Amino acid sequence: MARQPKRRRKPATRKKSTRRRKAAAHAPRRRAWWRWLLGALVLGVLLFGGYLLYLSQQVRVAFEGKRWAVPARVYARPLELYEGAPVSVAQLRYELTVLGYRKVRRPRKGAEWSQARGRFIIHTRPFVFWDGEQPARRLTVRIASGRVIGLSDAAGRPLDLVRLEPAEIGSIYPAHKEDRVLVRREDLPEHLVQALLAVEDRRFFEHHGVDPRGIARALWANLRAGRTVQGGSTLTQQLVKNFFLTPERSLWRKLNEVLMALIVEARYSKDEILEAYANEIFLGQDGDRAIHGFGLAARFYFNRPLTELQPHETALLVGLVKGASYYNPRRHPERARKRRNLVLEQMHRLGFLDARQLRAYQARPLGVSARGHGPQHRYPAFIQLVRRQLARDYREEDLTSEGLHVFTTLDPWAQKVAAEAVAKGLRRIEKTRRLPAGRLQAAMVMVTPDQGEVRVLVGGRRAGYAGFNRALDAHRPIGSLVKPALYLAALSEPQRYTLATLVDDSPVRIELPNGDLWSPDNFDHQAHGRVPLHRALAQSYNLAAVHVGMDIGVQRVIDTLHALGVEREIPPYPSVLLGALPLAPIEVAQLYQTIAAGGFRAPLRAIREVLDADGQPLQRYPLAVRRTVDPVAAFLVSEALQEVVREGTAKSLQRWLGEGFAVAGKTGTTDDLRDSWFAGFGADRVAVVWVGRDDNRPIRLTGSRGALPLFGRAMRALHLQALDPLPPTGVEYHWIEDDSGMLSAEGCEGAIRLPFAAGSQPRLRSACGERGGPGVLDLVAEALNAPGAAAQSRRLACSR
């Protein structure tokens, strides 16, 4: 029987067909899914690439554009040393301290000095002045009796003139209050770089922005410690975090940090990255000012440039990277010391220090400066004046971003002396007068008479406090300080008024435009009749001033005030004649500068030169002096103001400066004894002092009891130069009988010698003057009859 062939199983065939049909049906879907996946992948690559380009652009702009807003740095005047310069031992020591120079036994390098009595050996720093660069040099300076008596170089050769570099006294930084002193890579001390490598990023010069080995090492250390003891971020990652990103903690920010670190490493060299890191890292807080970068931190903590720091000092700065507040050496010195020593130990482990150096550096004190605010923050009132004067020529963004160097007129030594005089003087007044402690306030402005340079500006009894600046903004009635301007206006008409002219000091009643009567009075409530003009000024008689002022016209007095430098509008009221004119001390200083300079007004200035960030001259502030009042009249007023000190309301100033010391001055007191003023000048300084209360309550102090002692205290310490002016052309001296105002002669009773504009002297002569002075027989008779009285009369005549 034949075998039947096997039949194929139809169900299997049907299954395969079904699968094929299903596969065929799903094939379009699979192809669509793969196309979608490929498209998403391409899109992701494009988006990621675009994002990388965006991050790369951010990095490029930051590194190659304006990387930081660099504040304008403000400098004091440089101290000039030459034979005969008025510099005391105490002043030179102070100036070197402010500059951050180290006192050592044997100066061997820059910014070091030593002293043996009046002999100083100084190694200066190089510095770029507005007129060129001055190299570092070794000096020998000898001082005796408050003057330089010898100046020579390292070889003993005499030097004509040397300028110490000016001290930095402030900076004008942007609204976000970040400050930096930019340093270049070549200026970073090698031991600073070694310290950074030892504790922050050992493989900095080997990795490409991210260090997996460092991350693993930090992770292992943290796991072993059970807490975070070590970070895995590289210096590049830290730079990116500080430079570009917010401080938030998130995976997205960390991813951005890694990507940008890789971009930075790809685009820039290690030296460029290290330089950027050194200028960006946050290292402390000074009030509302953030301290960024090692350059500024060196000045803030040690008051010296970064290049002058030693390894234990840079180790302290590097230790602050971990936590500037937690390891603040001023607030937490023990923490800071332990952190510094740990940095030094890590440097030793990596071979940067040997065992001897490690022990020596770890044993040293922290060495930070005592003050939380360096010298650059002791002068807030003066910096306000600088900012106001700069605002005339620069935009705010230029001042806070372009890295300008502003050279000013501030005298640090005189500022220190004046600030101490104000603080001590006010405490003394409050104690002796039994006034509430701390209530009195004061302001002092000191300028040079010939150039109008502002050398001192004290804005209150706390000179380092950046609050209300009374020297610039306390507008108070000036009282009798207006009288020199009034008499200057009168003396500008020599055919009508001279120092010998008898003026009326009698009661006066003036009807005002509103119908009110104004009847001023003298301080002593007495009328003195007819008195010579010079005595009316010396004794500050109000009634005489009003009579003279009304005679020449109130507007004429106002015009003279404007000519002397008062810029504000002055209402033409008769009360202006007695100082009902609110002015700030800086405005009064301008007024008296013009008088002290013999009628030549030099607009007060606080700025000498401005350089750009590269040290190139940007703008000069030249001296602008012009004659605004009659020099002869100005000289006559200056002579009369010396009498104010010799015999008038400022006679007590001789207690401070010595009897017979030639100085001009004027007291001022306002109604109800609310304001006490004094303005005075010698040959080298003009100063104005105001004392009062911020709430404008009476202080019960006249000008001679409030402001004058502060002036005297400061000028005695600064060794004010006595006046010895040469009379201008057109001035003649004559002997005058004081009580009558007639011409007299030398030796006549009551005769005094006064200056006059040529031809304006009196025409009438006294009886003694007619005879040409007392004869020999007259003098013998005087000596026989009243020898004591005659001698006293002659002494009085000569002393006046």
Side-chain angles (χ1 to χ4, degrees), residues 503-575:
V503 297
D504 188 10
D505 187 65
S506 62
V508 60
R509 291 163 61 89
I510 299 174
E511 184 176 352
L512 302 178
N514 62 3
D516 292 343
L517 289 177
W518 182 54
S519 53
D521 198 2
N522 283 328
F523 183 77
D524 60 3
H525 304 295
Q526 301 290 324
H528 305 91
R530 293 178 62 78
V531 296
L533 185 147
H534 70 88
R535 190 189 306 166
L537 177 56
Q539 301 300 331
S540 199
Y541 292 151
N542 291 336
L543 299 178
V546 172
H547 278 287
V548 173
M550 294 303 294
D551 181 50
I552 61 175
V554 174
Q555 189 58 50
R556 179 65 187 276
V557 176
I558 292 174
D559 291 343
T560 301
L561 286 166
H562 287 318
L564 291 172
V566 178
E567 296 182 350
R568 68 178 59 246
E569 184 178 350
I570 304 173
Y573 300 141
S575 56

Side-chain angles (χ1 to χ4, degrees), residues 75 96-102 109-112 124-127 165-168 181-183 187-189 191-192 293-310 313-314 317 376:
Y75 297 90
L96 294 172
T97 301
V98 169
L99 288 172
Y101 280 35
R102 298 174 185 262
K109 55 185 179 180
E112 292 184 342
T124 69
R125 297 184 183 116
F127 191 82
E165 75 267 23
E168 184 181 332
V181 173
L182 297 186
V183 293
D187 295 329
L188 294 177
H191 46 78
L192 171 64
F294 290 105
L296 182 61
R299 295 182 181 274
F300 178 65
Y301 290 109
F302 298 104
N303 193 26
R304 287 194 299 277
L306 182 62
T307 54
E308 295 178 9
L309 298 190
Q310 299 180 22
E313 295 168 327
T314 56
L317 297 184
Q376 67 270 23

Side-chain angles (χ1 to χ4, degrees), residues 271-287:
D271 282 344
E272 288 177 303
I273 295 170
L274 194 59
E275 178 182 292
Y277 179 89
N279 286 308
E280 174 61 23
I281 193 68
F282 173 75
L283 294 171
Q285 194 75 29
D286 178 20

Side-chain angles (χ1 to χ4, degrees), residues 512-769:
L512 302 178
N514 62 3
D516 292 343
L517 289 177
W518 182 54
S519 53
D521 198 2
N522 283 328
F523 183 77
D524 60 3
H525 304 295
Q526 301 290 324
H528 305 91
R530 293 178 62 78
V531 296
L533 185 147
H534 70 88
R535 190 189 306 166
L537 177 56
Q539 301 300 331
S540 199
Y541 292 151
N542 291 336
L543 299 178
V546 172
H547 278 287
V548 173
M550 294 303 294
D551 181 50
I552 61 175
V554 174
Q555 189 58 50
R556 179 65 187 276
V557 176
I558 292 174
D559 291 343
T560 301
L561 286 166
H562 287 318
L564 291 172
V566 178
E567 296 182 350
R568 68 178 59 246
E569 184 178 350
I570 304 173
Y573 300 141
S575 56
V576 169
L577 304 175
L578 296 184
L581 170 64
L583 295 179
I586 188 78
E587 295 176 282
V588 180
Q590 177 71 82
L591 188 156
Y592 276 80
Q593 176 274 323
T594 309
I595 296 175
F600 290 86
R601 187 176 80 194
L604 299 189
R605 58 178 185 151
I607 304 167
R608 288 180 172 176
E609 309 283 346
V610 176
L611 305 186
D612 65 16
D614 297 322
Q616 298 302 311
L618 194 61
Q619 179 155 338
R620 299 180 61 87
Y621 287 78
L623 183 61
V625 179
R626 63 189 183 95
R627 198 186 91 176
T628 56
V629 297
D630 180 17
V632 171
F635 178 81
L636 299 181
V637 170
S638 295
E639 289 285 292
L641 290 176
Q642 292 184 56
E643 185 181 343
V644 175
V645 177
R646 287 195 306 268
E647 302 176 17
T649 58
K651 190 174 182 179
S652 60
L653 186 59
Q654 297 181 70
R655 168 194 165 203
W656 297 96
L657 302 180
E659 189 172 352
F661 187 86
V663 57
K666 184 70 189 77
T667 56
T669 310
T670 60
D671 290 346
D672 301 322
L673 302 181
R674 297 177 188 273
D675 303 282
S676 171
W677 290 89
F678 186 81
F681 54 89
D684 58 335
R685 301 180 193 274
V686 180
V688 174
V689 182
W690 167 85
V691 174
R693 285 180 54 155
D694 288 340
D695 59 11
N696 202 30
R697 292 187 178 181
I699 59 174
R700 304 198 305 274
L701 294 171
T702 62
S704 62
R705 293 185 177 273
L708 183 149
L710 274 57
F711 176 95
R713 188 184 294 268
M715 291 304 179
R716 182 172 65 182
L718 292 172
H719 304 289
L720 177 69
Q721 295 180 17
L723 285 170
D724 187 19
L726 290 174
T729 302
V731 171
E732 300 173 347
Y733 279 87
H734 296 275
W735 287 91
I736 302 296
E737 187 176 78
D738 199 27
D739 290 336
S740 67
M742 293 187 290
L743 282 175
S744 185
E746 185 176 3
C748 289
E749 183 177 358
I752 61 172
R753 189 169 179 262
L754 292 176
F756 291 84
S760 66
Q761 69 272 15
R763 296 289 179 252
L764 297 177
R765 288 184 175 272
S766 66
C768 182

Side-chain angles (χ1 to χ4, degrees), residues 265-557:
E265 289 276 350
R267 295 186 66 109
Y268 302 102
S269 69
K270 290 290 186 179
D271 282 344
E272 288 177 303
I273 295 170
L274 194 59
E275 178 182 292
Y277 179 89
N279 286 308
E280 174 61 23
I281 193 68
F282 173 75
L283 294 171
Q285 194 75 29
D286 178 20
D288 60 354
R289 181 180 70 138
I291 305 298
H292 283 266
F294 290 105
L296 182 61
R299 295 182 181 274
F300 178 65
Y301 290 109
F302 298 104
N303 193 26
R304 287 194 299 277
L306 182 62
T307 54
E308 295 178 9
L309 298 190
Q310 299 180 22
H312 68 287
E313 295 168 327
T314 56
L316 175 62
L317 297 184
V318 171
L320 293 174
V321 172
K322 186 176 181 182
S325 178
Y326 186 80
Y327 294 106
N328 187 320
R330 294 192 178 97
R331 297 174 58 189
H332 309 292
E334 188 57 27
R335 288 181 196 170
R337 186 186 65 81
K338 290 180 179 179
R339 179 66 181 166
R340 180 203 67 176
N341 289 349
L342 176 60
V343 174
L344 291 169
E345 185 178 335
Q346 292 295 100
M347 294 175 68
H348 170 62
R349 288 181 179 178
L350 293 182
F352 297 136
L353 297 176
D354 58 34
R356 181 186 60 81
Q357 291 174 318
L358 174 64
R359 291 192 299 271
Y361 289 136
Q362 287 186 331
R364 294 193 181 184
L366 294 179
V368 297
S369 58
R371 293 175 59 93
H373 299 277
Q376 67 270 23
H377 294 284
R378 298 176 189 168
Y379 315 105
F382 188 85
I383 296 299
Q384 286 186 30
L385 175 62
V386 172
R387 291 195 68 142
R388 293 184 189 187
Q389 294 194 355
L390 285 173
R392 298 178 304 200
D393 304 304
Y394 297 93
R395 299 177 304 167
E396 181 70 15
E397 53 266 35
D398 294 333
L399 295 176
T400 58
S401 63
E402 296 294 339
L404 303 181
H405 298 270
V406 182
F407 294 92
T408 74
T409 60
L410 180 79
D411 183 335
W413 171 249
Q415 177 74 24
K416 171 183 179 292
V417 170
E420 291 177 351
V422 166
K424 293 178 180 178
L426 291 183
R427 288 196 299 268
R428 177 70 175 171
I429 291 170
E430 289 171 343
K431 182 178 179 180
T432 56
R433 305 289 294 180
R434 297 182 179 179
L435 299 173
R439 298 288 181 85
L440 289 181
Q441 277 294 349
M444 181 182 294
V445 179
M446 201 176 296
V447 306
T448 57
D450 51 348
Q451 297 182 333
E453 292 188 338
V454 181
R455 295 299 179 88
V456 167
L457 195 83
V458 179
R461 68 187 297 160
R462 293 172 57 196
Y465 175 67
F468 180 58
N469 191 339
R470 296 160 190 84
L472 302 181
D473 299 322
H475 300 95
R476 298 298 187 93
I478 64 173
S480 293
L481 292 194
V482 78
K483 290 175 182 173
L486 183 153
Y487 287 117
L488 176 63
L491 293 168
S492 297
E493 302 180 21
Q495 69 281 7
R496 297 179 60 196
Y497 286 99
T498 69
L499 292 179
T501 299
L502 298 180
V503 297
D504 188 10
D505 187 65
S506 62
V508 60
R509 291 163 61 89
I510 299 174
E511 184 176 352
L512 302 178
N514 62 3
D516 292 343
L517 289 177
W518 182 54
S519 53
D521 198 2
N522 283 328
F523 183 77
D524 60 3
H525 304 295
Q526 301 290 324
H528 305 91
R530 293 178 62 78
V531 296
L533 185 147
H534 70 88
R535 190 189 306 166
L537 177 56
Q539 301 300 331
S540 199
Y541 292 151
N542 291 336
L543 299 178
V546 172
H547 278 287
V548 173
M550 294 303 294
D551 181 50
I552 61 175
V554 174
Q555 189 58 50
R556 179 65 187 276
V557 176

